[in-house]
């Protein structure tokens, strides 16, 4: 198995060294660089092109989310995990829109970080269980309180399949080849799904999937 | 101050009282004087008439007596002569009555002519007395001569005296009239003086009152200005206070979040690493202790995060107003079970920090009220932008204004916050039918981004 090269970005050096110790204990993981602020993160990512970037949101000079947007804009192959104090879905959505695929809370980073790195490195999305739970609960409460119909019921079996795969982080092309469909068909499914669920773009689709418990 | 006011009151009372007393005095005096003049006039006139009457009586009796004397002396027949004599006697009695009556009204200046008249009269009657005893023969021979020499001249003299007295009487009337007119003119002088004094006092009083009123007006104007100024300052102070509080909250929230929280997270990771490294040392007790510490640090991260959010949600600064409001709506809904419907996706955010904060705090306070006091089941929050105005509405189906009114301070705080930013804050409520809070906030002026 190929080694996963990791860039750590956090303005707290204690945090960085703690994470480095944690990650380097894992076989197949290697921390290739550390950055102490957003600007440095961008520079390091440019310089080292890591497989996975683990980044804090609250950082001086350039905040984590803006740094991620800059990096994934140029290097979409770099998988990004946000490591944050914030549990609100506003931040999660913002992180996803910036191009992150994983979102971890700092309450228990070490428990989930290994799994998260592997998941995003495989092209999947990953969220702290606490976040998934919160999103799912909010969604259920929303449904219960308003008594509205579950929009998930509106989707066809094939659309659910496509939704699932897209939410996992797969591209249209990947979905097309797995399901043995044309790219055009997958794109049509995708836009139908977004319309039926009243969503705008993949980040919202991923959040929706987490809420529904389709992925975790 | 109080002393001045009392002095003013005394002065005004004395002034107006004096004025009224003067006017009353002038009126009473006028009435009195007019009555006196009338009485005097009447008295003078009636006295004059009486005297005139008596004088005329005397005068006519003199004439009559002359006639009777002539007829008596020239009458040859004794019986007829006797009747003339009786007539003469009657005339004499009448005259004497009139003389007695006039004597009672006699004035000093008339005493001499009147005494002359009385003496002449007495002589007249004395001269006549022997004639009355004459027989027809005597009358025939000496009668005419007697008439010519004695009776007529005396009568003429007496008439002259009566005329003199009459003239005196008339002069007296003129004098009386003069006295009346003197009285009148002295009254006129007095009245003029009284009026002048009244007018002067009135003018003084009016100018004093005027100046007092003007100075009072100035004073109250100045005080009003002071109050208005104080109110403005209070408002500014309150706005600054709100600002300062918000700044402080943000600083503490940031500090908690970015420093304390991060350090605790680092602690969590460090403790995890520690546990992993001591695992090889076969000390299960130590591992359990480390795990305990790690759990504590982990839950502290959550506590710190919640504290920071309570102070000031970081979304407000990091993500903007709408995500912060969405979070707030979700939190209240999660905490209380109240359905909180939030619609506000379409806003273009060009809000200043103060505006964001004000709107956020208003919504927070309103939700708090709905949740705690109004017993609402459903709350609808709408935020949208209409040209240069941000429109916010918060509608609930709670029990309306009454319990809401107890939260007056909160409501007033919201209102103040919005008005300080030049916005409008309005609450409509009906008991039992919930309430609707609407806010209009101009957003161009304060735009910074």
């Amino acid at each position: 198995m190929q080694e996963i090269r990791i860039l750590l970005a956090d303005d707290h050096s204690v945090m960085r060294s703690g994470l480095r110790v944690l990650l380097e204990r894992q076989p197949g993981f290697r921390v290739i660089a550390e950055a102490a602020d957003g600007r440095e993160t961008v520079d390091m990512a440019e310089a080292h092109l890591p497989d996975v970037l683990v980044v804090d949101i609250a950082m001086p000079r350039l905040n984590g989310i803006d740094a991620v947007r800059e990096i994934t804009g140029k290097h979409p192959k770099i998988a990004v995990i946000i490591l944050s104090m914030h549990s609100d879905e506003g931040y999660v959505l913002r992180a996803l829109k910036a191009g992150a695929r994983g979102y971890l809370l700092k309450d228990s980073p070490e428990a989930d970080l290994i799994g998260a790195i592997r998941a995003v490195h495989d092209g999947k999305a990953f969220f702290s269980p606490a976040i998934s739970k919160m999103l799912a609960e909010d969604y259920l409460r929303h449904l219960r309180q308003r008594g509205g119909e579950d929009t998930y019921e509106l989707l066809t079996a094939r659309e659910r399949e496509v939704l699932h795969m897209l939410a996992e982080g797969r591209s249209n092309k990947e979905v097309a080849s797995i399901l043995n469909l044309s790219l055009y068909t997958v794109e049509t499914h995708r836009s139908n799904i977004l319309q039926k669920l009243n969503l705008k773009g993949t980040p919202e689709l991923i959040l929706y999937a987490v809420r529904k418990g389709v992925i975790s | 101050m109080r002393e001045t006011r009392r002095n003013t009151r005394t002065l005004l009372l004395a002034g107006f009282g004096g004025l009224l007393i003067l006017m009353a005095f002038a009126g009473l005096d006028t009435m009195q004087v007019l009555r006196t003049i009338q009485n005097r006039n009447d008295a003078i006139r009636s006295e004059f008439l009486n005297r005139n009457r008596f004088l005329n009586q005397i005068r006519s009796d003199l004439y009559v007596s002359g006639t009777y004397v002539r007829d008596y002396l020239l009458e040859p027949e004794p019986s007829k002569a006797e009747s003339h004599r009786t007539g003469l006697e009657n005339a004499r009695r009448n005259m004497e009555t009139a003389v007695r009556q006039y004597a009672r009204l006699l004035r000093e200046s008339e005493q001499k002519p009147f005494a002359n008249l009385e003496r002449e009269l007495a002589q007249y009657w004395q001269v006549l007395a022997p004639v009355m005893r004459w027989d027809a023969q005597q009358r025939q021979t000496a009668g005419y001569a007697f008439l010519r020499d004695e009776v007529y001249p005396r009568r003429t003299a007496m008439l002259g005296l009566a005329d003199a007295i009459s003239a005196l009487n008339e002069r007296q009337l003129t004098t009386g009239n003069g006295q009346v007119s003197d009285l009148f003119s002295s009254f006129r002088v007095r009245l003029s003086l009284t009026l002048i004094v009244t007018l002067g006092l009135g003018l003084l009083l009016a100018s004093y009152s005027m100046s007092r009123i003007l100075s009072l007006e100035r004073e109250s104007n100045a005080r009003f200005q002071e109050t208005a100024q104080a109110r403005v300052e209070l408002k500014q102070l309150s706005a600054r206070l709100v600002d300062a509080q918000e700044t402080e909250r943000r600083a503490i929230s940031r500090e908690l979040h970015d420093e304390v929280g991060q350090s605790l997270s680092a602690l969590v990771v460090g403790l995890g690493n520690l546990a992993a490294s001591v695992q090889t040392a076969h000390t299960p007790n130590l591992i359990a202790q480390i795990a305990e510490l790690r759990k504590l640090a982990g839950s502290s991260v959550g506590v710190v995060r919640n504290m920071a959010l309570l102070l000031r949600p970081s979304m407000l600064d990091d993500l903007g107003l709408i995500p912060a409001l969405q979070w707030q709506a979700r939190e209240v809904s999660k905490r209380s079970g109240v359905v909180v419907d939030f619609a506000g996706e379409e806003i273009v955010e060009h809000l200043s920090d103060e505006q964001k904060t004000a709107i956020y705090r208003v919504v927070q306070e309103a939700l708090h009220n709905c949740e705690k006091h109004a017993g609402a089941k459903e709350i609808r929050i709408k935020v949208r932008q209409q040209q240069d105005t941000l429109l916010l509405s918060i509608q609930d189906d709670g029990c309306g204004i009454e319990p809401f009114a107890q939260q007056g301070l909160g409501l007033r705080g919201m209102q103040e916050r919005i008005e300080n930013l030049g916005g409008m804050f309005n609450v409509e409520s009906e008991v039992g039918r919930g309430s609707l809070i609407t806010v209009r906030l101009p957003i161009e002026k304060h735009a910074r981004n």
Side-chain angles (χ1 to χ4, degrees):
Chain A
M1 193 181 79
Q2 214 190 334
E3 191 180 53
I4 300 176
R5 298 163 64 250
I6 301 165
L7 170 60
L8 280 180
D10 195 310
D11 54 330
H12 281 63
S13 60
V14 188
M15 189 69 179
R16 284 200 309 274
S17 59
L19 290 176
R20 180 187 274 270
V21 170
L22 169 72
L23 294 177
E24 294 203 323
R25 230 183 0 247
Q26 293 297 318
F29 283 22
R30 190 157 70 86
V31 177
I32 52 162
E34 291 178 20
D37 62 54
R39 188 45 56 204
E40 200 185 353
T41 308
V42 175
D43 296 342
M44 290 289 183
E46 289 277 351
H48 298 282
L49 293 176
D51 297 319
V52 176
L53 166 63
V54 177
V55 61
D56 184 19
I57 289 184
M59 281 196 297
R61 285 171 79 194
L62 185 67
N63 74 55
I65 286 178
D66 290 342
V68 168
R69 186 176 301 116
E70 216 170 293
I71 292 163
T72 55
K74 278 189 232 164
H75 309 287
K77 288 235 158 127
I78 300 178
V80 177
I81 294 172
I82 297 280
L83 195 52
S84 168
M85 283 283 291
H86 303 288
S87 64
D88 182 65
E89 72 167 64
Y91 284 98
V92 180
L93 187 61
R94 180 74 80 93
L96 291 177
K97 280 180 176 166
R101 262 182 276 171
Y103 194 101
L104 291 183
L105 278 181
K106 282 193 169 179
D107 302 20
S108 57
E110 85 285 21
D112 305 316
L113 188 56
I114 310 297
I117 289 175
R118 288 198 206 286
V120 298
H121 187 247
D122 285 352
K124 293 178 182 165
F126 190 98
F127 299 91
S128 272
I131 297 237
S132 308
K133 188 162 165 264
M134 185 191 74
L135 291 174
E137 278 173 1
D138 282 351
Y139 184 70
L140 281 178
R141 188 167 30 84
H142 184 90
L143 281 184
R144 202 167 51 242
Q145 283 178 345
R146 284 164 183 75
E149 66 184 319
D150 188 351
T151 46
Y152 192 63
E153 302 295 326
L154 298 173
L155 302 181
T156 63
R158 178 44 60 93
E159 281 168 350
R160 288 180 193 175
E161 225 169 351
V162 172
L163 166 68
H164 196 154
M165 288 182 185
L166 289 173
E168 276 186 333
R170 296 187 193 279
S171 68
N172 288 355
K173 214 162 131 190
E174 284 172 317
V175 176
S177 80
I178 293 170
L179 295 180
N180 214 1
L181 298 167
S182 76
L183 183 58
Y184 175 75
T185 311
V186 173
E187 277 165 2
T188 309
H189 281 312
R190 182 176 177 274
S191 72
N192 283 345
I193 292 166
L194 292 181
Q195 198 194 343
K196 282 183 181 175
L197 302 181
N198 191 23
L199 300 172
K200 294 190 274 292
T202 310
E204 287 191 12
L205 188 141
I206 294 174
L207 264 194
Y208 176 85
V210 176
R211 286 201 188 102
K212 282 302 300 172
V214 176
I215 62 165
S216 63
Chain B
M1 193 69 244
R2 170 163 292 191
E3 196 57 37
T4 323
R5 204 176 304 155
R6 191 181 302 157
N7 282 347
T8 304
R9 197 175 302 165
T10 317
L11 212 61
L12 285 177
L13 211 64
F16 278 111
L19 203 61
L20 284 175
I21 286 169
L22 270 176
M23 283 159 80
F25 168 74
L28 284 174
D29 190 38
T30 307
M31 266 152 58
Q32 181 75 39
V33 167
L34 285 178
R35 199 179 303 137
T36 309
I37 287 171
Q38 175 126 35
N39 287 348
R40 283 286 279 283
N41 250 341
D42 287 353
I44 288 167
R45 185 174 297 276
S46 76
E47 198 183 330
F48 171 76
L49 288 176
N50 272 337
R51 284 156 182 273
N52 235 15
R53 190 154 47 89
F54 294 137
L55 279 178
N56 283 343
Q57 179 75 45
I58 292 168
R59 216 182 271 136
S60 79
D61 283 340
L62 263 176
Y63 278 116
V64 169
S65 72
T67 312
Y68 279 128
V69 170
R70 188 199 60 193
D71 289 352
Y72 169 74
L73 286 177
L74 300 185
E75 182 61 57
E77 209 166 314
S79 65
K80 281 191 182 163
E82 189 55 31
S83 90
H84 291 318
R85 201 175 61 86
T86 313
L88 182 66
E89 288 293 321
N90 282 340
R92 181 186 176 177
R93 268 196 302 280
N94 280 346
M95 195 194 294
E96 276 169 350
T97 310
V99 167
R100 269 199 308 280
Q101 277 170 330
Y102 195 88
R104 257 184 266 141
L105 301 171
L106 200 61
R107 281 204 201 87
E108 191 131 11
S109 56
E110 296 168 323
Q111 256 167 4
K112 222 168 116 195
F114 191 73
N116 286 343
L117 180 66
E118 275 187 316
R119 202 173 53 243
E120 286 286 331
L121 272 175
Q123 281 178 10
Y124 180 63
W125 295 117
Q126 229 174 330
V127 170
L128 279 183
V131 176
M132 290 303 135
R133 286 188 297 274
W134 285 358
D135 55 18
Q137 188 60 37
Q138 275 176 307
R139 292 198 300 263
Q140 184 113 39
T141 52
Y144 187 73
F146 182 78
L147 266 179
R148 193 192 55 211
D149 298 339
E150 291 287 344
V151 175
Y152 288 151
R154 282 181 193 278
R155 198 181 61 177
T156 309
M158 280 187 292
L159 283 173
L161 280 171
D163 282 348
I165 291 169
S166 183
L168 275 177
N169 197 19
E170 246 160 69
R171 208 178 306 139
Q172 197 64 41
L173 177 68
T174 317
T175 316
N177 279 344
Q179 278 173 355
V180 168
S181 84
D182 281 352
L183 190 68
F184 197 78
S185 72
S186 91
F187 160 70
R188 199 163 51 204
V189 168
R190 200 163 64 232
L191 189 65
S192 302
L193 273 175
T194 314
L195 281 178
I196 286 167
V197 170
T198 309
L199 215 65
L201 188 61
L203 275 174
L204 270 176
L205 211 61
S207 62
Y208 176 72
S209 305
M210 207 106 104
S211 80
R212 278 300 293 163
I213 286 169
L214 284 177
S215 92
L216 279 177
E217 195 185 40
R218 264 197 306 279
E219 203 173 292
S220 90
N221 260 350
R223 206 150 301 163
F224 177 76
Q225 291 293 335
E226 270 170 35
T227 314
Q229 179 71 21
R231 200 169 298 160
V232 167
E233 275 166 15
L234 198 68
K235 219 166 188 181
Q236 285 169 347
L237 181 68
S238 142
R240 274 208 301 279
L241 217 67
V242 164
D243 268 0
Q245 188 192 37
E246 206 60 57
T247 310
E248 196 72 2
R249 279 180 169 188
R250 187 188 333 216
I252 297 172
S253 172
R254 274 265 169 251
E255 194 71 16
L256 279 175
H257 217 279
D258 294 353
E259 296 305 322
V260 182
Q262 302 281 30
S263 301
L264 282 170
S265 316
L267 207 58
V268 171
V269 175
L271 285 169
N273 286 336
L274 195 61
S277 53
V278 296
Q279 223 154 11
T280 49
H282 300 295
T283 46
N285 204 19
L286 189 60
I287 291 168
Q289 272 181 23
I290 293 172
E292 199 63 36
L293 287 174
R294 202 207 133 277
K295 222 171 109 189
L296 186 63
S299 64
S300 296
V301 174
V303 170
V304 165
R305 178 172 56 228
N306 288 337
M307 277 170 64
L309 287 176
L310 274 180
L311 280 168
R312 181 179 166 95
S314 50
M315 304 90 185
L316 203 52
D317 300 314
D318 294 345
L319 307 180
L321 177 63
I322 299 301
L325 290 178
Q326 280 169 333
W327 171 78
Q328 176 71 28
R330 268 200 305 276
E331 279 302 299
V332 170
S333 182
K334 197 186 289 182
R335 192 167 63 219
S336 64
V338 178
V339 177
V340 184
D341 201 55
F342 179 86
E345 273 86 359
E346 282 152 36
I347 196 151
V348 189
E349 291 215 22
H350 288 299
L351 299 176
S352 74
D353 221 30
E354 289 93 333
Q355 290 172 329
K356 274 197 298 195
T357 306
I359 294 289
Y360 177 79
R361 293 297 182 203
V362 165
V363 171
Q364 187 181 35
E365 179 74 27
L367 285 176
H368 178 81
N369 279 343
C370 292
E371 186 191 341
K372 286 274 184 292
H373 308 285
K377 298 244 178 327
E378 193 170 341
I379 305 165
R380 287 176 189 283
I381 305 170
K382 272 188 207 145
V383 183
R384 68 197 170 87
Q385 191 178 351
Q386 200 176 62
Q387 279 138 16
D388 302 336
T389 310
L390 183 139
L391 303 173
L392 165 71
S393 69
I394 304 157
Q395 180 154 35
D396 73 74
D397 60 352
C399 52
I401 198 75
E402 271 192 335
F404 215 44
Q406 294 165 1
Q407 293 301 304
L409 202 62
L411 263 181
R412 204 170 316 144
M414 289 193 247
Q415 179 157 12
E416 209 166 81
R417 232 168 165 142
I418 294 302
E419 284 174 356
N420 278 340
L421 295 173
M424 272 161 44
F425 179 91
N426 186 42
V427 182
E428 285 167 46
S429 184
E430 232 178 281
V431 173
R433 304 186 71 172
S435 48
L436 171 67
I437 294 177
T438 47
V439 170
R440 300 174 66 90
L441 193 64
I443 49 181
E444 204 183 33
K445 262 193 292 187
H446 295 271
R448 278 181 189 169
N449 312 356

